[in-house]
Amino acid sequence: MKGFDTNLRLQASSPEFSNGFLPKRQNFIKLNRRNCYPRSSFSPTMLKLFTSSASRVHHLTPVSRVVGSSPVESPLFKALSQITGWNRRSTSLGHRAFFCSEPTNGEAAAEAETKAVESDSEVSDSKSSSAIVPTNPRPEDCLTVLALPVPHRPLFPGFYMPIYVKDPKVLAALQESRRRQAPYAGAFLLKDDPSADSSSSTDAEKNINELKGKELLNRLHEVGTLAQISSIQGDQVILVGHRRLRIKEMVSEEPLTVKVDHLKDNPFDMDDDVVKATSFEVISTLRDVLKTSSLWRDHVQTYTQHIGDFTYPRLADFGAAICGANRHQAQEVLEELDVHKRLRLTLELMKKEMEISKIQETIAKAIEEKISGEQRRYLLNEQLKAIKKELGVETDDKSALSAKFKERIEPNKEKIPAHVLQVIEEELTKLQLLEASSSEFNVTRNYLDWLTILPWGNYSNENFDVARAQTILDEDHYGLSDVKERILEFIAVGRLRGTSQGKIICLSGPPGVGKTSIGRSIARALNRKFFRFSVGGLADVAEIKGHRRTYVGAMPGKMVQCLKSVGTANPLVLIDEIDKLGRGHAGDPASALLELLDPEQNANFLDHYLDVTIDLSKVLFVCTANVIDMIPNPLLDRMEVISIAGYITDEKVHIARDYLEKTARGDCGVKPEQVEVSDAALLSLIENYCREAGVRNLQKQIEKIYRKIALKLVREGAVPEEPAVASDPEEAEIVADVGESIENHTVEENTVSSAEEPKEEAQTEKIAIETVMIDESNLADYVGKPVFHAEKLYEQTPVGVVMGLAWTSMGGSTLYIETTVVEEGEGKGGLNITGQLGDVMKESAQIAHTVARKIMLEKEPENQFFANSKLHLHVPAGATPKDGPSAGCTMITSLLSLATKKPVRKDLAMTGEVTLTGRILPIGGVKEKTIAARRSQIKTIIFPEANRRDFDELAENVKEGLNVHFVDDYGKIFELAFGYDKQED
Ligand code: ADP
């Protein structure tokens, strides 16, 4: 390898060798075939191409002359001279550097070489017609040569090859022959070892060294190359191929010496078209091979310029030598003496090589593309990161995220339950391992966000001060003393126990009675945060229990969201409309709600998203419902129901005066002295516009009035000189400025138009309306025509009409039951019913018909009214669906009134379910019904006996002035309704 190294050094240090040529006297083109073959077998091989012209500098006969026509001044020679910077100095330098292993005999060796090539050329010249070169003196003396085995590829004439000779005897013989000025040997390719695995090159090499004599001879191909021993360095011998030889016989065994014939190419016709065409094809393929093969790329220019000048045989050898054909194919080329055939063989090899390089290229390209694609993506990602960072939208800065989460939990780390802390730690570790762009990263980040933001163990200080609570409740709500009392009791218990947990309050009542606002007041009184969510129509369990994190867009349930938004672990949660809970298709929302509310279970509430249990036992739940009956039983069991029945007129007046008006005034920016709403107007508003149980509509109407007043005031120019509300001094100034400018403007306007009569009037009116008066007379200007016209449909109910009391989710109301005769005739008795009655009420009507007939039969046995009259019973407000059993007694009375042709007592209303035997059963909603009766100016009410206690519990102002009778049998009602003394009224 030393020679090889030297060669490399030389190439690197002298510019003239940079093209890969090794200048030598014989115009060698050195080809470095290192790495050309997939296996290492060929790597150290160096091949030299013997080029054909050099005669101007050297007295050599150009090889081209052997085959005929090349001029002395061939273009190849010129090109080579240019490229290599050919001159004596550099040649000798190159020569010395490469070939002189021993400086002393360097010149001699060089001399010998020169002669050898010279004579070779001459011989070629003179014996061009002979296939076998006859023995001759000088190189042709070499009819007996040392046979050197070459393991991998045959040596082609014109190329050089280093081999390693391990046998000292052979080495000595080679040295000897160099010294004898006949430095030639025969290089023969080794045949495959039939016994050994030929794929192992090291084995092959080992085997050559062991082979001796006859054995070795048998393993050698017959045809080889006469090789000049160019140099010997250690065991490395560099051979330069000259001409083809064929072994004739063995001369001696150690070292193996053989007798040889020198072979000559068969004569051929230079001008033969087929040969020419083949050679052209070889040349063009060679050019392609050189171009496409990455190994030859550096030398393409040089070679492609000169291959056109090669002789045909040389061309074939060159092609075979540089392509990666296997040893057998190469040997085949070497053995072929027919030039045309040799060219064909070479062409085949090169085409194959061409295909290989094409495949190689596509492989290289594919790999390159893949790599460059990856690099591109990497680059773009890096750029994206940089851009995000620059814009401050860096979302995947993991360490910053982790730091943020850690910072969040740091202050109350001791309060966070251990199991939660563990999950947080685990998730933080996971976050670090995940790819920032992956979807799982986002899931984990959101999860951590929720886990860390919840107010673990963070409670607001609960206030159990009963007096303070009382003040707050009174501040916010008028009346409702029983409700307030219950709340205060609750707070008192909380004070004694130190905690208010474990109770669920349920406020029930018609809309607008203040259920929600009481909930808010309780939160204020207890100093808890307030959170409200409505479960009306809720059918999805996930709303309460959350989604599992695996779902896209998964969210925790309402309760967890609540804790996040209030920031304390003990808020007051108002669950609105619990009676309107939907029915879930997947899972039952009622049972999910139960899990949430039940004090037994909610200390370990498990939200699907959060996946860790949270303690909700400190949360105070308040539910609201319109109708208690609709609340699922298991839920109702755990609740403490506080019902708010609705307000009577008197209460509504107070609420309107003390609460609703104040807020409406404040909201509209109207000052108290600017408006005066008379008692009569307020009463009319309540009686004729807002008869429902709650006050929400009343609130709306009052707001409407105040908005209109505000508009009126602004229109009339009665804008406050000083700001009505100005907490901020700056703001006050601005408002004052505006006031001033408007005032100036008004003054101006007044001066300009002072001459005009109507304007003067307007100004007078402005002063007059500084206080807007609202009276019964002008109420309609503000709120429109009354919704409820006559207070009563009938001043005195006619025969067949009786007033009943009903109770709906909207509160109590009065309703008439009317009966009339359709036709009379023997056996025509029957009953038609209309008025959108439910099944229960229809049955009630049938029962009433039967009971009435029975009573009639008892009282006036001869009266055939029911037997012979077809009757029609109707309940007006036919568009409103009605149901319930409590109209039973009213229906009987109505039928009996018709039968007896006697109207019932004036201002009487009744309610109660009747059995077939005439027993009166209790009803619900006593308070609501009483309030409704009062609204309709009823003086006498009949209730079932069993409801006496309910009535007694009512507030005095509700009961005041009412004549109430409690009955347990219909007979009493009959007496009360019909047995009155006309004079009494
Ligand atoms: P609900 O929840 O029962 O439907 P809200 O709580 O929304 O009714 O009450 C409607 C409005 O009526 C609220 O503005 C509330 O302040 C007012 N309101 C109800 N009852 C009273 C009351 N007793 N005193 C003062 N304002 C009341």
Side-chain angles (χ1 to χ4, degrees):
M1 288 306 288
K2 218 169 167 190
F4 186 68
D5 286 344
T6 319
N7 174 27
L8 282 177
R9 221 179 302 131
L10 190 66
Q11 283 189 40
S13 57
S14 25
E16 57 264 49
F17 305 135
S18 61
N19 282 323
F21 281 89
L22 183 70
K24 229 184 146 283
R25 282 192 209 170
Q26 293 89 353
N27 279 1
F28 282 124
I29 296 172
K30 186 221 78 184
L31 302 173
N32 187 346
R33 290 288 325 237
R34 195 177 192 164
N35 299 332
C36 180
Y37 295 94
R39 295 174 49 77
S40 61
S41 61
F42 206 65
S43 61
T45 314
M46 280 185 252
L47 303 163
K48 269 188 202 168
L49 173 66
F50 221 173
T51 56
S52 54
S53 56
S55 63
R56 201 172 60 167
V57 183
H58 297 275
H59 48 280
L60 290 175
T61 313
V63 177
S64 53
R65 268 171 44 198
V66 175
V67 282
S69 62
S70 280
V72 173
E73 293 271 339
S74 80
L76 170 65
F77 173 74
K78 283 184 198 159
L80 280 177
S81 307
Q82 269 172 21
I83 293 164
T84 58
W86 185 295
N87 60 41
R88 267 199 179 277
R89 203 171 54 82
S90 67
T91 309
S92 64
L93 178 74
H95 169 78
R96 273 177 217 277
F98 189 73
F99 291 100
C100 299
S101 52
E102 293 163 50
T104 41
N105 64 2
E107 283 300 327
E111 203 61 35
E113 271 169 40
T114 315
K115 279 180 188 159
V117 175
E118 199 178 324
S119 45
D120 174 32
S121 306
E122 276 163 10
V123 169
S124 305
D125 201 15
S126 55
K127 305 278 177 188
S128 61
S129 60
S130 170
I132 298 172
V133 181
T135 49
N136 238 326
R138 296 192 305 269
E140 281 70 34
D141 281 347
C142 314
L143 290 175
T144 307
V145 289
L146 268 174
L148 296 175
V150 288
H152 307 300
R153 284 173 66 83
L155 174 65
F156 278 94
F159 286 82
Y160 69 102
M161 177 192 277
I163 60 164
Y164 297 90
V165 180
K166 295 279 188 255
D167 191 339
K169 276 187 196 157
V170 178
L171 213 53
L174 288 173
Q175 302 268 20
E176 178 55 29
S177 67
R178 279 196 78 189
R179 223 164 289 138
R180 277 194 287 114
Q181 302 202 341
Y184 292 94
F188 300 90
L189 181 68
L190 214 58
K191 287 182 198 162
D192 288 337
D193 183 357
S195 61
D197 177 9
S198 60
S199 65
S200 162
S201 62
T202 44
D203 281 1
E205 222 147 325
K206 202 165 70 195
N207 287 346
I208 330 169
N209 299 325
E210 282 162 12
L211 291 173
K212 299 265 149 59
K214 231 193 168 76
E215 217 183 333
L216 178 61
L217 185 70
N218 289 338
R219 289 282 309 280
L220 293 180
H221 279 278
E222 226 175 38
V223 177
T225 319
L226 179 68
Q228 178 187 348
I229 303 151
S230 174
S231 81
I232 301 171
Q233 290 184 347
D235 61 351
Q236 189 194 56
V237 179
I238 295 183
L239 304 173
V240 177
H242 277 275
R243 65 182 63 168
R244 288 167 164 78
L245 299 174
R246 175 174 285 135
I247 297 173
K248 274 200 330 201
E249 57 185 343
M250 191 172 76
V251 178
S252 71
E253 286 207 17
E254 267 202 81
L256 180 66
T257 315
V258 287
K259 265 197 173 151
V260 290
D261 279 339
H262 290 226
L263 304 178
K264 266 308 254 165
D265 296 334
N266 293 345
F268 65 99
D269 180 4
M270 275 277 299
D271 297 323
D272 184 279
D273 287 345
V274 180
V275 177
K276 245 189 203 168
T278 316
S279 76
F280 290 158
E281 184 57 24
V282 169
I283 288 170
S284 84
T285 314
L286 248 176
R287 285 205 170 108
D288 288 346
V289 170
L290 290 173
K291 235 183 275 167
T292 48
S293 160
S294 53
L295 288 160
W296 302 107
R297 200 163 282 155
D298 291 347
H299 314 294
V300 178
Q301 239 198 332
T302 328
Y303 295 146
T304 45
Q305 260 177 11
H306 303 303
I307 38 182
D309 303 323
F310 292 166
T311 60
Y312 295 161
R314 200 59 86 209
L315 190 65
D317 286 350
F318 179 74
I322 69 159
C323 65
N326 69 32
R327 43 199 279 183
H328 302 294
Q329 287 166 321
Q331 177 68 23
E332 220 179 303
V333 175
L334 188 74
E335 287 178 11
E336 187 56 66
L337 296 179
D338 183 306
V339 174
H340 178 233
K341 278 188 187 160
R342 197 191 292 167
L343 279 170
R344 288 288 304 253
L345 281 172
T346 300
L347 190 60
E348 250 175 59
L349 296 184
M350 280 190 310
K351 289 280 181 199
K352 229 185 252 173
E353 174 93 355
M354 199 51 210
E355 284 310 306
I356 291 170
S357 8
K358 269 185 199 159
I359 294 169
Q360 185 194 348
E361 203 161 294
T362 46
I363 292 170
K365 213 169 172 181
I367 288 174
E368 208 168 282
E369 262 169 26
K370 193 179 161 216
I371 290 172
S372 70
E374 272 165 17
Q375 274 176 342
R376 208 173 109 84
R377 199 170 309 126
Y378 173 78
L379 206 75
L380 287 174
N381 261 327
E382 287 301 303
Q383 280 176 351
L384 186 70
K385 267 189 210 163
I387 291 169
K388 276 185 179 169
K389 216 169 200 164
E390 200 63 29
L391 291 175
V393 292
E394 179 62 290
T395 50
D396 55 11
D397 198 348
K398 290 183 197 170
S399 46
L401 262 180
S402 302
K404 185 177 109 184
F405 293 139
K406 280 185 186 142
E407 201 179 303
R408 262 192 206 164
I409 57 167
E410 208 49 55
N412 55 346
K413 212 164 184 175
E414 310 82 57
K415 293 188 200 161
I416 301 180
H419 70 283
V420 178
L421 211 56
Q422 190 190 343
V423 173
I424 293 178
E425 298 288 340
E426 279 167 11
E427 291 294 314
L428 278 173
T429 322
K430 192 169 144 198
L431 192 74
Q432 292 302 322
L433 299 175
L434 287 170
E435 181 62 43
S437 54
S438 71
S439 61
E440 206 183 337
F441 180 85
N442 268 331
V443 172
T444 310
R445 189 186 55 187
N446 287 341
Y447 182 41
L448 269 170
D449 195 29
W450 278 103
L451 278 180
T452 51
I453 207 152
L454 289 184
W456 301 106
N458 188 9
Y459 303 105
S460 62
N461 284 332
E462 214 167 352
N463 192 321
F464 292 121
D465 185 342
V466 175
R468 177 175 170 271
Q470 171 101 55
T471 325
I472 290 173
L473 291 175
D474 285 343
E475 245 173 51
D476 294 348
H477 295 90
Y478 171 81
L480 300 175
S481 46
D482 47 347
V483 179
K484 287 176 186 168
E485 199 63 22
R486 293 282 286 280
I487 294 164
L488 291 176
E489 282 164 19
F490 176 82
I491 294 175
V493 171
R495 191 190 175 99
L496 294 181
R497 281 187 59 201
T499 165
S500 62
Q501 74 199 66
K503 276 279 170 283
I504 309 163
I505 300 172
C506 179
L507 299 166
S508 84
V513 291
K515 299 183 297 294
T516 314
S517 64
I518 286 175
R520 201 172 267 123
S521 283
I522 301 173
R524 198 154 79 91
L526 287 173
N527 190 32
R528 281 173 182 247
K529 286 275 170 55
F530 179 79
F531 185 84
R532 165 177 181 258
F533 75 90
S534 174
V535 294
L538 183 140
D540 190 358
V541 177
E543 286 281 327
I544 296 165
K545 295 271 289 171
H547 303 100
R548 295 195 189 280
R549 281 200 307 287
T550 41
Y551 293 125
V552 175
M555 283 274 281
K558 267 276 162 15
M559 206 50 230
V560 175
Q561 293 179 31
C562 154
L563 293 181
K564 180 187 171 182
S565 82
V566 298
T568 58
N570 64 338
L572 183 146
V573 176
L574 186 95
I575 302 176
D576 237 346
E577 321 257 29
I578 199 160
D579 55 335
K580 296 183 188 66
L581 202 60
R583 296 240 176 280
H585 35 83
D588 183 13
S591 41
L593 210 56
L594 185 67
E595 190 186 334
L596 178 74
L597 295 175
D598 189 358
E600 305 286 318
Q601 298 181 47
N602 69 8
N604 287 309
F605 179 75
L606 186 72
D607 184 280
H608 290 321
Y609 181 89
L610 224 51
D611 220 15
V612 289
T613 54
I614 49 175
D615 181 7
L616 296 180
S617 60
K618 303 283 188 303
V619 177
L620 181 62
F621 290 101
V622 176
C623 308
T624 77
N626 290 138
V627 188
I628 291 294
D629 303 348
M630 304 291 285
I631 301 176
N633 259 333
L635 279 176
L636 191 61
D637 272 359
R638 288 166 175 82
M639 289 174 181
E640 201 181 319
V641 179
I642 302 176
S643 53
I644 308 172
Y647 303 106
I648 56 170
T649 309
D650 188 40
E651 285 173 322
K652 283 188 186 171
V653 170
H654 277 106
I655 294 172
R657 273 270 182 263
D658 301 341
Y659 297 85
L660 306 180
E661 256 195 295
K662 273 185 197 160
T663 22
R665 235 184 349 239
D667 289 351
C668 297
V670 177
K671 285 198 281 181
E673 65 271 17
Q674 287 176 309
V675 189
E676 205 184 308
V677 181
S678 73
D679 287 348
L682 202 56
L683 203 65
S684 165
L685 188 69
I686 292 165
E687 299 268 89
N688 300 331
Y689 295 81
C690 316
R691 279 197 204 161
E692 65 289 317
V695 293
R696 192 175 286 127
N697 191 31
L698 182 61
Q699 186 183 25
K700 276 191 211 155
Q701 298 295 350
I702 290 174
E703 278 166 3
K704 199 167 165 186
I705 293 171
Y706 275 85
R707 274 202 307 275
K708 285 206 158 46
I709 292 170
L711 178 63
K712 192 167 179 144
L713 288 174
V714 173
R715 277 218 178 117
E716 304 298 341
V719 175
E721 281 160 29
E722 277 165 27
V725 273
S727 48
D728 185 25
E730 248 180 70
E731 198 184 301
E733 233 172 80
I734 295 163
V735 178
D737 279 348
V738 172
E740 219 170 80
S741 71
I742 290 172
E743 200 179 54
N744 290 343
H745 177 71
T746 321
V747 171
E748 238 175 65
E749 208 177 64
N750 287 343
T751 41
V752 170
S753 58
S754 58
E756 288 169 45
E757 204 61 17
K759 286 283 171 188
E760 237 172 289
E761 258 178 36
Q763 204 192 350
T764 349
E765 202 191 301
K766 180 197 153 192
I767 296 156
I769 59 128
E770 246 171 14
T771 304
V772 179
M773 288 294 297
I774 297 183
D775 213 331
E776 222 175 339
S777 57
N778 65 354
L779 185 66
D781 299 345
Y782 291 89
V783 289
K785 295 251 153 59
V787 193
F788 301 97
H789 280 287
E791 276 157 23
K792 289 190 263 179
L793 210 49
Y794 308 101
E795 192 47 43
Q796 163 66 58
T797 47
V799 168
V801 178
V802 182
M803 185 185 268
L805 294 172
W807 177 48
T808 64
S809 65
M810 302 291 287
S813 69
T814 54
L815 54 83
Y816 287 104
I817 290 186
E818 307 173 331
T819 323
T820 187
V821 179
V822 182
E823 61 173 330
E824 273 179 307
E826 187 69 32
K828 290 235 166 167
L831 183 68
N832 277 348
I833 309 159
T834 52
Q836 280 255 19
L837 309 183
D839 288 343
V840 179
M841 215 155 165
K842 276 181 192 154
E843 283 175 3
S844 287
Q846 297 298 339
I847 295 165
H849 195 230
T850 311
V851 176
R853 194 169 174 175
K854 199 180 105 196
I855 291 169
M856 223 34 217
L857 220 63
E858 282 166 12
K859 293 204 185 299
E860 298 174 29
E862 69 290 348
N863 192 330
Q864 291 299 302
F865 176 78
F866 285 107
N868 299 334
S869 315
K870 186 162 188 198
L871 306 176
H872 183 172
L873 184 144
H874 176 64
V875 186
T880 324
K882 313 163 192 79
D883 205 7
S886 71
C889 66
T890 323
M891 287 174 173
I892 299 174
T893 314
S894 162
L895 289 167
L896 288 176
S897 165
L898 198 66
T900 56
K901 299 196 173 48
K902 200 174 173 192
V904 294
R905 176 203 279 256
K906 200 171 173 238
D907 298 333
L908 171 78
M910 64 186 69
T911 180
E913 185 180 348
V914 187
T915 64
L916 276 176
T917 56
R919 301 286 307 167
I920 306 291
L921 301 179
I923 45 90
V926 171
K927 188 178 177 190
E928 289 84 350
K929 287 179 174 175
T930 313
I931 293 167
R934 283 186 77 92
R935 268 205 304 269
S936 302
Q937 270 122 42
I938 293 299
K939 301 222 169 59
T940 311
I941 306 178
I942 302 174
F943 275 129
E945 178 64 50
N947 287 111
R948 186 190 285 273
R949 243 188 54 209
D950 297 329
F951 185 80
D952 287 346
E953 276 174 10
L954 296 182
E956 275 313 312
N957 60 352
V958 178
K959 294 191 279 193
E960 202 183 313
L962 283 177
N963 183 14
V964 182
H965 300 272
F966 298 96
V967 296
D968 52 7
D969 188 87
Y970 187 77
K972 288 199 184 126
I973 298 183
F974 190 85
E975 259 159 46
L976 283 166
F978 303 109
Y980 53 90
D981 186 346
K982 281 265 177 202
Q983 268 74 54
E984 244 179 60
D985 299 301

